[in-house]
Amino acid sequence: MSDLSEKDIDVFIEAVGDYFKKTTQEAASVGVAYLARNAFPMNDFTGMIKVSADYDGILYFSAPSAMLRHLLTVMKETNQSDENLLDAVGEIANTISGNARKYFGENMVISIPEKVAGLPSSFNQQARYYAYVIIIKWKHYSASLIVDISRKR
Amino acid sequence: MKLMIVDDSNIIRNRIARIASDSFLNQKLPNIEIVGAAASGVEAHALFLKTRPEIVTMDLTMPEMDGVECTTLLTQVDPQVKILIISALSDKATAIQALMNGAEGFLYKPFTDDELINALLELVEE
Amino acid sequence: MAIVNNTNTFNKYSGLLIAVTLFLLFNLSVLGLNFYTSSTLDNDAISINLAGRQRMLSQRTAKVLLTIQVDAAQGKFNDKNTAELKKVVLLFDATLNAFKSGGQVLGGDEKAVTLNKVSDSAATKAVDAALTIWQPYKQLLTPVINSQVVEESSLDAATDYARDHNLKLLTLMNDLTTQLEKNTKAKAGNLKLIQTIALVLSLLLFGNIVFNALRKLRAADGEIEKAQRETTEILNTVKEGLFLLDPELLIGTQFSSSMNKILQHDISAKVPFMPILEALVSAEVFSQATNYISLLFGNKVKENLILSLNPLMQVRVYSTTSNNIASAPRYLSFQFNRVIEDKRVLHLLVTVQDVTEQVTQAEELLKLKGQSNINLDFLRKLLEADSFQLQQFLKNTNTGLSALNTILANADKRASNHDDLANQCFRIVHSIKGESAAMGLEAIEAYAHQFEEHLSLLRKKTNWDTQEVLSLPVMLSALFDQISQIEVIVNAIQLHLESANTTQKQTSVSSSISHNLTRLAAQVSQNQNKNVRLNLSLALLDQVETKTAIQLQQIGIQLIRNSICHGIETAAARAAKGKPPHGEITISTQMTPQGAIHFSVRDDGQGIVPARIRAAMVASGRYSIEMVDQLTDKEVVKKLFEPGFSTASTADKDAGSGVGMDLIQSLVNEIGGELKIDTKPDVFTQFTFRIAQHKAPAINLESNLFDSTVNVLERVT
């Protein structure tokens, strides 16, 4: 079995860091990384990308609304409706997984982002025995990047 | 220059529009008139026929019709249209396909303001 | 480019051009000189002719005069004669004067010619002397010429003069002629010389031009040849495949000789490239590459954008010689660069590299990392193991790993440093390692050991990068996976046993712990190449809580490791001290009259010697000699309980990681009680753990050790 390596997971983290750096001139950093089973640390808004083909599972990017509002402000987006906050979180998840394809190749097929306010309903089915939880810090906010992706054999 | 923005994200559409118009004010870009914004390939095709833009920024992953397909349609209508792909999809196959289908430039998401301005400049200057 | 070329050409050939120009100029001037000289020679010929005519005229004058005289003597008069005399005299006179001062005279063909006055002294002298004779002669002749009748007196005077002077005049005219001829001859000689010199010079110049031109040509040929040779040499020696691809997608005329090997295809000039590529790569990659190459030849897409899209950057290629399908995979890397002239893509420079080694190395590393350690031997061990102990082990391990995960999750909140974090993780992993070793689950033990090694690597770093932060959950996840796989297997075994209704005979906790500790001692002493006998009396363990019994087993595991690695000497060293060759470790449980349980581990090794610890502290580099000297023996012994401290110089699977004592301390804290150390150098070391019933946990170094004299402690409980 060839599981995801730290390098594989780092690809997602780099993508998040890059997103914030390019969009806001302020990079995001890694707080802590650990494993989670059934208890994912979800925030107000969550963007989800399903991966398929050679891979299986979901990538989550979940951020508190205050963080997303701050992000939109930096982007000079004045409309900070829930709809736009969802849009932002979906776009981040989409960008992360899109960027990751450069590394994983076109055999990682990614879906268009699914965006949820509150707790997503679909995460009770885990692709991994333990999913990777990476707490991402931007300014004084913390968001969760959850990599529940496994490589098919 | 007439510009149409195609992206399924509202905030990205707004950001591209804002950067394009700000850059004109800062004289970084020639006059770009935003003639429309579409959230899907289907919407973009209809809007294109109506407004006939000269340049288009095109997302790839979109519902209904994706950006590669839409690029093919638009260049069939107007072979002169200059299409800049703006996408997070960074794998080579997708980029090559989009370029083969008539796109002229490729900008990866995430992008900085300057990266977008430069990409648009390269497109306009030709 | 074109301009540069012109200047180059000019520089290269300037020497030659200058030489040719000089040559032409020189030849032209020689030609001019020739023209000039031959024209003066023409003039000279006239002069010579006329001088010769003067000779003839002087004779003629005399002859006609004598004829007239002879006629006159016979009383005859012929006017024809006087006319001829007149003509001759006039002609002679005019010519002589022209010799003197230049002028026009009638030439031989009755045409006027220009006569140059004579210039050299000999000729002038002759002319002057002739004139002196001629002037009176002419005057005497004039009446003869003019008379219509015979006039004897003047005729006689003239004739007399003629007789006297004619010869002289002839001689003078002869001299003149001779002199002029001599002059001309000299002139002609000079001309010949000049011509000869000019010829020689021009030949030299010509030779120089030819020589230089040839030399330059040869040098240029040599350079071209050298360049070609160098190109060929390069193409023959480079490991990479190198070739030019033209817009028709044909391979250019020059390509490196390694191409055949790299592409595993016989390459020749002007063969189409695409079929070769098609045979090498998958259909999908081939279609991408076809598109990509056509984009490269197009001008629409910018180079920097397109270079990043190369689908052949690293591509798996298939053997074209299909007789061996199972041959090892190969990977190639193609790089394309546009060769642009006049804004058109003329060629693509293609570089091909065999990157198989790099790729497979990375892949193998990845494979190795993800490999499951579960194999047949492992399954046998699982079947043999006591099922209760196994369940306990799995439960403990899961609990430990979860605790480790919690540590990771909370690392940020507690703002602890990385060193601290690594130490906490280390304790957990170390205990899993010990337990799995005791259970004989070597696969888990090996994995835990790998985890430990990684942790000690991280412990040395003050700043962890993202990948290092990530490495902990990744390793944890792998360990979790292994444990969960074992759980699946163990549950299956359990189910099978239950359905077969052959429930394993229930072994007591104490006997299974004894079994484990014996196995561990045998394994570690074999690893350390030491002779050890283990005495166990652990019956009391059946009376404590199973959890506590397992924790005590853990303490036993760590202390057995310590004893064998640090305490028991080698057989040779023991013989030297007069000890029996085999070391002895005794682990026992006793109950005090008050009902407290003592758990003790004793070995007959070298004892704990503060001096040795001091030396190890200095050797570790973490303490200076001064610092170590300032510590009391008690403080020095306390160091044994610090995480990361070890007296072993190198860490191996059994000891030296510096975690064992730290783990013991945390277990003692968990269970609650008092740990006492007694030791005597070269005699024994004994750890006694008095399990408290309701007491605060503590390690009692104060009361039992080193309170009076150092090193001499014989009080044994």
Side-chain angles (χ1 to χ4, degrees):
Chain A
M1 176 177 140
S2 88
D3 195 8
L4 297 188
S5 68
E6 47 264 49
K7 201 173 155 208
D8 297 337
I9 302 162
D10 193 26
V11 169
F12 296 108
I13 297 173
E14 293 247 325
V16 183
D18 201 38
Y19 185 90
F20 280 94
K21 193 169 181 195
K22 288 265 177 79
T23 317
T24 71
Q25 263 86 55
E26 188 175 334
S29 63
V30 171
V32 299
Y34 62 100
L35 301 172
R37 189 165 164 73
N38 297 327
F40 291 168
M42 290 300 181
N43 294 297
D44 307 340
F45 295 95
T46 304
M48 296 185 284
I49 304 280
K50 282 198 173 72
V51 303
S52 51
D54 282 5
Y55 297 82
D56 185 31
I58 300 178
L59 177 97
Y60 302 84
F61 180 78
S62 186
S65 59
M67 180 177 183
L68 295 170
R69 273 196 211 97
H70 201 143
L71 175 68
L72 289 189
T73 306
V74 176
M75 286 168 76
K76 297 181 190 165
E77 174 64 63
T78 46
N79 177 355
Q80 304 200 341
S81 62
D82 277 8
E83 202 178 306
N84 268 359
L85 297 186
L86 273 177
D87 190 336
V89 93
E91 185 60 21
I92 295 171
N94 179 48
T95 307
I96 296 164
S97 51
N99 286 183
R101 281 241 296 187
K102 184 176 189 178
Y103 172 82
F104 288 102
E106 52 263 37
N107 292 330
M108 177 186 263
V109 172
I110 62 173
S111 72
I112 54 171
E114 197 177 314
K115 298 161 276 192
V116 191
L119 278 185
S121 55
S122 67
F123 83 69
N124 41 17
Q125 301 159 326
Q126 252 183 261
R128 299 180 58 81
Y129 190 67
Y130 279 97
Y132 290 104
V133 175
I134 299 109
I135 302 299
I136 304 283
K137 306 242 165 189
W138 180 70
K139 295 191 184 285
H140 57 281
Y141 308 103
S142 293
S144 318
L145 176 71
I146 298 157
V147 182
D148 182 23
I149 295 173
S150 66
R151 217 181 239 124
K152 282 190 196 160
R153 277 164 227 195
Chain B
M1 283 282 207
K2 292 200 281 183
L3 168 71
M4 176 170 83
I5 301 166
V6 187
D7 200 302
D8 61 342
S9 160
N10 182 37
I11 56 166
I12 295 292
R13 287 197 302 272
N14 290 349
R15 180 158 174 244
I16 294 172
R18 179 185 57 72
I19 294 171
S21 43
D22 281 5
S23 313
F24 170 58
L25 293 179
N26 302 336
Q27 296 183 323
K28 282 184 189 163
L29 274 178
N31 191 5
I32 289 183
E33 180 201 350
I34 296 151
V35 294
S40 78
V42 175
E43 209 179 296
H45 185 228
L47 196 63
F48 184 81
L49 293 175
K50 211 193 294 169
T51 58
R52 298 312 285 265
E54 294 149 283
I55 43 179
V56 175
T57 70
M58 177 76 68
D59 187 15
L60 288 183
T61 29
M62 289 183 296
E64 289 182 89
M65 183 199 290
D66 72 21
V68 173
E69 217 176 312
C70 186
T71 299
T72 317
L73 273 184
L74 300 194
T75 45
Q76 274 167 7
V77 177
D78 177 8
Q80 300 302 311
V81 66
K82 291 169 187 294
I83 297 176
L84 172 68
I85 305 287
I86 302 184
S87 172
L89 270 189
S90 52
D91 60 294
K92 292 165 184 173
T94 312
I96 291 174
Q97 199 52 55
L99 293 172
M100 282 301 285
N101 288 14
E104 255 175 62
F106 206 107
L107 178 65
Y108 292 113
K109 285 180 188 172
F111 54 86
T112 64
D113 291 13
D114 283 343
E115 280 168 351
L116 176 64
I117 293 165
N118 286 338
L120 286 174
L121 257 183
E122 269 191 8
L123 213 65
V124 170
E125 268 171 2
E126 271 173 30
Chain C
M1 190 91 170
I3 295 164
V4 171
N5 255 350
N6 273 352
T7 354
N8 274 346
T9 318
F10 182 75
N11 284 339
K12 207 150 98 189
Y13 297 114
S14 65
L16 198 65
L17 281 175
I18 288 168
V20 168
T21 313
L22 276 178
F23 176 72
L24 285 177
L25 276 175
F26 180 77
N27 274 5
L28 274 175
S29 54
V30 169
L31 200 64
L33 189 68
N34 252 352
F35 263 118
Y36 170 74
T37 324
S38 52
S39 76
T40 57
L41 280 180
D42 276 352
N43 288 341
D44 286 358
I46 292 168
S47 300
I48 292 165
N49 261 344
L50 292 182
R53 193 176 69 181
Q54 288 298 78
R55 232 170 22 186
M56 181 273 283
L57 285 176
S58 70
Q59 294 314 298
R60 190 124 184 147
T61 308
K63 195 185 160 194
V64 175
L65 192 59
L66 287 174
T67 310
I68 293 172
Q69 197 189 27
V70 171
D71 281 356
Q74 293 169 356
K76 284 197 277 188
F77 178 80
N78 192 346
D79 59 346
K80 260 189 191 164
N81 288 335
T82 48
E84 190 185 352
L85 185 64
K86 184 186 179 183
K87 187 182 161 197
V88 172
V89 166
L90 281 175
L91 198 55
F92 184 86
D93 184 53
T95 307
L96 190 60
N97 280 314
F99 271 126
K100 171 71 185 168
S101 45
Q104 294 255 323
V105 289
L106 237 46
D109 47 1
E110 304 291 317
K111 273 183 197 155
V113 291
T114 309
L115 188 60
N116 293 332
K117 67 171 190 180
V118 290
S119 48
D120 72 304
S121 58
T124 313
K125 228 165 99 186
V127 169
D128 285 347
L131 273 171
T132 323
I133 296 167
W134 176 250
Q135 296 300 345
Y137 193 11
K138 192 175 116 183
Q139 271 174 7
L140 290 173
L141 284 171
T142 312
V144 179
I145 293 164
N146 291 338
S147 68
Q148 301 295 321
V149 291
V150 178
E151 215 182 299
E152 284 202 22
S153 60
S154 55
L155 186 59
D156 286 347
T159 316
D160 288 347
Y161 193 85
R163 263 192 209 105
D164 289 348
H165 293 95
N166 179 41
L167 198 62
K168 185 81 191 281
L169 198 59
L170 176 67
T171 314
L172 283 171
M173 285 306 99
N174 201 32
D175 286 354
L176 178 63
T177 310
T178 317
Q179 190 58 42
L180 286 175
E181 272 173 354
K182 218 166 91 190
N183 287 353
T184 307
K185 222 178 210 164
K187 240 189 215 168
N190 285 342
L191 182 64
K192 225 179 227 162
L193 187 68
I194 289 169
Q195 275 178 332
T196 312
I197 291 170
L199 190 67
V200 169
L201 278 177
S202 90
L203 274 175
L204 281 175
L205 252 175
F206 182 71
N208 175 47
I209 289 167
V210 169
F211 176 75
N212 275 329
L214 277 178
R215 207 183 57 187
K216 282 221 165 107
L217 276 173
R218 269 188 53 187
D221 280 356
E223 262 165 42
I224 292 169
E225 215 172 279
K226 197 176 153 204
Q228 266 174 352
R229 209 169 48 230
E230 278 175 6
T231 313
T232 315
E233 240 168 66
I234 290 169
L235 290 176
N236 280 339
T237 43
V238 285
K239 273 199 297 195
E240 289 85 8
L242 272 177
F243 65 94
L244 285 176
L245 193 62
D246 68 16
E248 280 82 48
L249 305 182
L250 303 176
I251 291 175
T253 47
Q254 285 202 306
F255 48 85
S256 62
S257 52
S258 52
M259 284 269 289
N260 290 345
K261 200 179 144 223
I262 291 179
L263 297 186
Q264 293 190 340
H265 195 286
D266 277 336
I267 307 295
S268 51
K270 294 287 163 198
V271 297
F273 172 62
M274 297 317 281
I276 299 173
L277 184 64
E278 191 170 15
L280 283 171
V281 301
S282 69
E284 196 185 340
V285 172
F286 178 69
S287 91
Q288 271 182 44
T290 310
N291 286 342
Y292 179 70
I293 291 172
S294 80
L295 283 175
L296 276 168
F297 273 114
N299 277 336
K300 206 173 167 190
V301 185
K302 301 254 177 332
E303 177 143 34
N304 53 359
L305 170 60
I306 202 144
L307 285 183
S308 66
L309 298 177
N310 181 3
L312 300 176
M313 191 70 97
Q314 181 188 306
V315 62
R316 187 181 168 158
V317 296
Y318 299 92
S319 180
T320 45
T321 51
S322 52
N323 49 7
N324 189 5
I325 298 158
S327 67
R330 287 201 317 135
Y331 293 86
L332 295 184
S333 168
F334 289 78
Q335 270 165 309
F336 298 87
N337 288 88
R338 281 171 167 166
V339 180
I340 295 174
E341 206 171 279
D342 293 334
K343 292 184 174 176
R344 265 175 5 108
V345 181
L346 213 60
H347 288 109
L348 297 181
L349 172 65
V350 189
T351 322
V352 199
Q353 266 179 299
D354 192 327
V355 291
T356 308
E357 217 167 294
Q358 292 98 296
V359 175
T360 45
Q361 263 175 13
E363 274 185 353
E364 232 137 74
L365 214 69
L366 207 70
K367 231 188 260 169
L368 217 65
K369 241 183 161 171
Q371 241 167 25
S372 172
N373 289 323
I374 293 177
N375 53 28
L376 269 180
D377 186 52
F378 190 80
L379 285 174
R380 194 174 51 80
K381 290 255 169 61
L382 283 182
L383 278 166
E384 280 173 2
D386 170 58
S387 82
F388 172 75
Q389 278 256 313
L390 206 53
Q391 301 283 5
Q392 276 297 323
F393 167 73
L394 291 173
K395 203 177 131 209
N396 288 347
T397 309
N398 267 325
T399 313
L401 293 181
S402 296
L404 203 161
N405 194 34
T406 311
I407 292 168
L408 294 182
N410 295 326
D412 209 30
K413 286 174 203 139
R414 296 187 301 112
S416 59
N417 58 30
H418 284 146
D419 202 34
D420 222 33
L421 183 69
N423 282 333
Q424 289 180 33
C425 295
F426 217 125
R427 269 203 296 276
I428 293 169
V429 176
H430 199 66
S431 111
I432 291 171
K433 185 173 102 171
E435 249 187 284
S436 51
M439 298 283 297
L441 302 176
E442 279 149 20
I444 305 289
E445 188 197 0
Y447 198 88
H449 182 65
Q450 207 183 316
F451 202 156
E452 274 188 356
E453 280 186 329
H454 183 66
L455 283 167
S456 32
L457 221 68
L458 288 186
R459 201 154 55 175
K460 285 179 193 140
K461 293 194 176 173
T462 39
N463 280 314
W464 294 358
D465 63 23
T466 308
Q467 286 203 25
E468 283 161 345
V469 171
L470 280 175
S471 64
L472 296 177
V474 167
M475 296 201 85
L476 181 60
S477 170
L479 205 46
F480 259 133
D481 274 348
Q482 303 235 332
I483 299 299
S484 76
Q485 283 176 52
I486 297 169
E487 270 174 341
V488 169
I489 296 166
V490 167
N491 288 340
I493 294 169
Q494 198 64 33
L495 264 171
H496 176 75
L497 290 176
E498 275 167 17
S499 68
N501 207 13
T502 56
T503 35
Q504 267 188 326
K505 67 172 173 29
Q506 192 69 42
T507 48
S508 67
V509 171
S510 64
S511 69
S512 85
I513 288 178
S514 298
H515 182 68
N516 288 343
L517 293 180
T518 309
R519 179 164 44 201
L520 180 82
Q523 193 191 316
V524 176
S525 54
Q526 193 191 340
N527 287 351
Q528 298 294 320
N529 205 14
K530 283 179 183 166
N531 213 341
V532 176
R533 183 179 294 166
L534 186 66
N535 306 313
L536 297 167
S537 68
L538 300 172
L540 278 176
L541 286 182
D542 291 330
Q543 292 179 26
V544 301
E545 269 181 60
T546 313
K547 188 187 164 205
T548 310
I550 300 292
Q551 285 171 323
L552 289 174
Q553 172 184 269
Q554 185 62 256
I555 293 176
I557 288 168
Q558 301 305 331
L559 288 176
I560 286 175
R561 279 186 198 284
N562 274 350
S563 287
I564 299 174
C565 296
H566 304 301
I568 310 275
E569 310 91 331
T570 58
R574 290 180 68 86
K577 290 177 185 172
K579 291 181 173 181
H582 65 265
E584 208 153 302
I585 299 174
T586 308
I587 304 180
S588 57
T589 45
Q590 290 169 321
M591 194 174 291
T592 61
Q594 292 80 24
I597 291 174
H598 282 193
F599 177 81
S600 66
V601 179
R602 178 190 170 104
D603 71 62
D604 65 345
Q606 58 185 352
I608 295 171
V609 185
R612 210 178 287 137
I613 302 172
R614 283 178 205 275
M617 285 167 76
V618 174
S620 76
R622 291 209 286 181
Y623 306 89
S624 66
I625 298 172
E626 295 76 40
M627 279 163 73
V628 172
D629 283 346
Q630 277 172 13
L631 296 173
T632 64
D633 281 348
K634 218 161 15 189
E635 284 166 328
V636 165
V637 174
K638 260 188 182 168
K639 288 280 172 199
L640 291 179
F641 290 88
E642 271 185 16
F645 182 86
S646 172
T647 54
S649 49
T650 53
D652 59 25
K653 212 171 76 167
D654 298 313
S657 60
V659 166
M661 297 304 282
D662 179 39
L663 176 59
I664 290 168
Q665 179 165 29
S666 70
L667 284 167
V668 166
N669 291 349
E670 267 177 54
I671 302 166
E674 201 177 44
L675 185 70
K676 193 166 67 177
I677 306 168
D678 296 306
T679 182
K680 185 177 178 186
D682 292 334
V683 180
F684 76 97
T685 306
Q686 175 164 332
F687 288 83
T688 308
F689 179 31
R690 194 161 63 85
I691 300 162
Q693 278 134 341
H694 299 289
K695 237 194 223 168
I699 295 177
N700 194 340
L701 288 170
E702 212 66 48
S703 55
N704 298 306
L705 187 71
F706 310 124
D707 48 356
S708 49
T709 49
V710 175
N711 293 347
V712 192
L713 282 157
E714 303 196 54
R715 191 163 57 96
V716 182
T717 340

